[in-house]
Amino acid sequence: MKNNDCIFCKIANGEIPSTTLYEDDAFRVILDMGPATRGHALLLPKEHYADLFELDDETASKVLIRAKRIALRMKNALGADGFNLVQNNGEAAGQTVFHFHMHLIPRYQDDHAGILWKPGTVTPEEMEQIKELVDGQ
Ligand code: 5GP
Ligand code: ZN
């Protein structure tokens, strides 16, 4: 299903033009308009899913296969030294557009893109408690 109010539905389905690196029946890969690094792209399904939790299993598995293939092409073409796949779900996680997308972010030595986090701390008791909560679901 498409969502008439969703900008990524319009971009993914070609109603709004974009710089497209790849397109097939199910997906479009576009350049991000506010790139973290040179070549930062977004993998968009053409159907509307708000986030990861709305994806059916078949689409979810296709996303990773497609991301892997495009990332490899981009890494070779752009001479990237590394690559981040980033995927935000929910406002608390930094999601700003509520149509599922995977960020494809080429990384270059010393690019200083602020993508990684500062490691926190956790006690063995907290780890055990987390494990029990997840196991209980
Ligand atoms: P999020 O924060 O939801 O994970 O990522 C949204 C991303 O979409 C951001 O990196 C932002 O720069 C990008 N973005 C938002 N609107 C547009 C748009 O209209 N065109 C393009 N190419 N990128 C967009
Ligand atoms: Zn949408």
Side-chain angles (χ1 to χ4, degrees), residues 25-101:
D25 288 350
F27 299 104
R28 184 187 292 268
V29 177
I30 64 166
L31 286 180
D32 194 295
M33 71 177 190
T37 64
R38 181 167 179 268
H40 180 172
L42 301 170
L43 170 62
L44 313 176
K46 292 189 172 179
E47 293 296 318
H48 182 85
Y49 308 91
D51 57 25
L52 176 71
F53 307 111
E54 288 196 357
L55 290 184
D56 56 84
D57 286 356
E58 192 187 339
T59 305
S61 52
K62 283 185 183 164
V63 162
L64 194 55
I65 293 166
R66 187 50 55 202
K68 184 193 102 168
R69 291 183 184 167
I70 303 279
L72 183 59
R73 274 178 55 199
M74 290 173 66
K75 188 173 182 294
N76 291 337
L78 298 172
D81 303 305
F83 216 97
N84 289 119
L85 295 184
V86 176
Q87 202 278 304
N88 302 325
N89 299 283
E91 211 176 312
Q95 186 176 9
T96 58
V97 180
F98 292 86
H99 173 123
F100 174 92
H101 51 281

Side-chain angles (χ1 to χ4, degrees), residues 111-127:
D111 64 22
H112 301 297
I115 291 164
L116 301 179
W117 55 89
K118 181 169 148 282
T121 57
V122 64
T123 65
E125 293 75 25
E126 284 170 328
M127 285 177 143

